[in-house]
Amino acid sequence: MAAGLIGIAMAILLEGFEWLFYGVSEGTLPQRVQAAAPWRRVLAPAVGGLLAGALWWWERATGGVVGVEAAVGDVSAHASRRMGLLRPFGDGVLQVLTVGAGNSVGREGAPRLMAGAVAAGLASRLGLEAKTTRILVAAAAGAGLAAMYNAPLGGAAFAVEITMLSGMRRRGVWLALPVSLLATVVSWLHSDGRPTFTVSIDDPAPATLVGATLVLPVAALLGAGARSLWARLRDHRLPDTWALPLGIGAAGLLTGSASLWLPVLPGNGRDALEAALLSPTSAAALLALVGVVVLKPLLTGLTLGAGATGGLLAPSFALGGSAGAAIAVAANLAGWQVSIPALALVGGGAVLSITQRAPVFGTVFVWELARGPLWVLALMAVVSAACWWLTSSLGRGGRVRPLLRGGPASS
């Protein structure tokens, strides 16, 4: 229930920050960006980055934040007892502020961290054993994600496949499912149970199935490339000094400048996927989709490299969704009859599966965002599994960690 209420609060807070930075009271983030003055479009992400960076500098200098991964990985559960509430909630607000100002980084880290902290505090008060506490914290983190995106199965899959360790999963799945379902039902007080995206997808056509085979190698390449880029930039980020706010502000300035051409670039990537799902068949739309594929991972990497804390789920499915839609638009321009939203979902799920090394989560979560036909889910599962197998085979020889942490403050 706490995770559901946190999801509602973060959604409302995000809208408030978007209004504050862009001066437009209604509409999606791209609509607010387009309605704002050009100088405001450029400076909003920079100012938000400066402010958040300065507060993160103070936070990290005074002890930082104990993240969900640290709490779940600590056998003694000492880390979960040290989480507290004030710092996780403060860090979550800073993450939402950063996204609301238009910086290119995910917002899902905030409800995960907050819900995990509530679970840790509850477990401590009830005197639960260490293993149960760790499972509960992981389940709550997935529930926070489920509440924010109205995706209960995806939230449960995130908790089990990504957050939990191998020895927890068999027992943890029976806790993650009801917790994510309950959190999602609570979030309906704000979302009314509507899916994140509303799209119409026709019955499967041979051209769409052929198009999915074209998406497969592209998604594998983009997913592996984005994962490598983000990990390298995050691992070589700027130090926690005065360079932190200046670096995030500079990355925000680049994002704001790019928004003069592509209004869907600011923010976490949710709006970029929506634009891909609803993309028309035109040369201009194809150019915009290619622009997102090129610029979104670069801007996200620069924001992470500057030291920002945030998630990578939305940047991942925005990248893959835009690539899948671009292939579909190009095929339609060539005379094929290809479903653009179907290939956008296929691409989004495949790239997310690769960046997080979690094919079940990537497939189910992206499908739940639009709740498309079951044949789309089956197609997504096949492509995501093939991409996961391909990239795993090529990268075999070392275990690759999921890109969960948005920055040092959550480690």
Side-chain angles (χ1 to χ4, degrees):
M1 291 179 67
L5 294 175
I6 288 169
I8 293 173
M10 292 303 99
I12 296 173
L13 187 63
L14 180 66
E15 294 178 2
F17 280 133
E18 290 174 356
W19 166 78
L20 177 65
F21 282 100
Y22 290 96
V24 181
S25 59
E26 295 181 352
T28 63
L29 180 57
Q31 291 171 339
R32 296 176 199 254
V33 170
Q34 287 181 300
W39 64 267
R40 197 160 189 163
R41 295 168 66 169
V42 173
L43 292 181
V47 173
L50 280 169
L51 178 59
L55 293 172
W56 270 321
W57 180 14
W58 172 85
E59 176 192 273
R60 296 170 191 177
T62 57
V65 175
V66 177
V68 169
E69 291 76 30
V72 174
D74 184 4
V75 178
S76 67
H78 178 65
S80 63
R81 288 192 291 270
R82 291 193 299 109
M83 286 188 78
L85 288 178
L86 185 60
R87 283 182 176 266
F89 273 67
D91 191 84
V93 170
L94 289 183
Q95 293 184 44
V96 176
L97 182 152
T98 306
V99 177
N103 291 277
S104 183
V105 70
R107 63 180 172 129
E108 74 279 352
R112 289 196 298 110
L113 178 61
M114 293 178 175
V118 171
L122 178 63
S124 178
R125 285 183 175 274
L126 294 176
L128 301 181
E129 61 177 356
K131 186 173 182 179
T132 302
T133 296
R134 294 158 65 206
I135 294 175
L136 185 64
V137 170
L145 176 65
M148 176 159 278
Y149 283 101
N150 193 14
L153 297 180
F158 180 90
V160 175
E161 194 174 17
I162 296 179
T163 308
M164 293 182 188
L165 304 181
S166 57
M168 306 177 182
R169 290 170 182 157
R170 182 172 298 180
R171 178 184 175 188
V173 66
W174 301 109
L175 182 61
L177 276 170
V179 170
S180 286
L181 286 169
L182 179 57
T184 303
V185 171
V186 172
S187 74
W188 290 350
L189 295 172
H190 180 259
S191 69
D192 295 326
R194 297 185 302 269
T196 301
F197 306 117
T198 302
V199 294
S200 177
I201 303 177
D202 298 328
D203 294 333
T208 299
L209 302 180
V210 173
T213 64
L214 301 177
V215 172
L216 195 159
V218 174
L221 180 63
L222 290 175
R227 179 184 175 83
S228 177
L229 173 67
W230 293 337
R232 182 176 296 273
L233 289 173
R234 190 186 59 189
D235 291 342
H236 296 84
R237 64 176 188 86
L238 294 177
D240 294 331
T241 63
W242 53 265
L244 181 63
L246 293 181
I248 302 176
L253 189 64
L254 291 174
T255 302
S257 300
S259 75
L260 296 175
W261 174 47
L262 281 176
V264 297
L265 286 175
N268 64 338
R270 174 209 175 280
D271 298 297
L273 178 58
E274 184 172 33
L277 291 169
L278 303 176
S279 181
T281 300
S282 67
L286 179 59
L287 181 61
L289 290 168
V290 172
V292 173
V293 171
V294 173
L295 293 177
K296 190 63 179 176
L298 292 176
L299 294 171
T300 301
L302 290 174
T303 306
L304 292 172
T309 299
L312 290 172
L313 303 188
S316 296
F317 63 61
L319 171 61
S322 297
I327 292 173
V329 170
N332 284 335
L333 290 174
W336 293 20
Q337 296 297 319
V338 176
S339 171
I340 294 174
L343 291 197
L345 291 175
V346 167
V351 170
L352 181 60
S353 297
I354 297 168
T355 60
Q356 297 301 303
R357 305 301 295 169
V360 175
F361 163 69
T363 300
V364 173
F365 178 68
V366 173
W367 177 80
E368 273 190 304
L369 295 179
R371 299 178 193 168
L374 290 179
W375 71 264
V376 174
L377 175 61
L379 185 61
M380 291 174 64
V382 171
V383 173
S384 294
C387 286
W388 178 82
W389 175 84
L390 178 62
T391 55
S392 297
S393 299
L394 293 176
R396 191 166 294 158
R399 184 176 181 271
V400 186
R401 293 179 294 110
L403 283 176
L404 281 173
R405 301 178 183 88
S410 60
S411 17

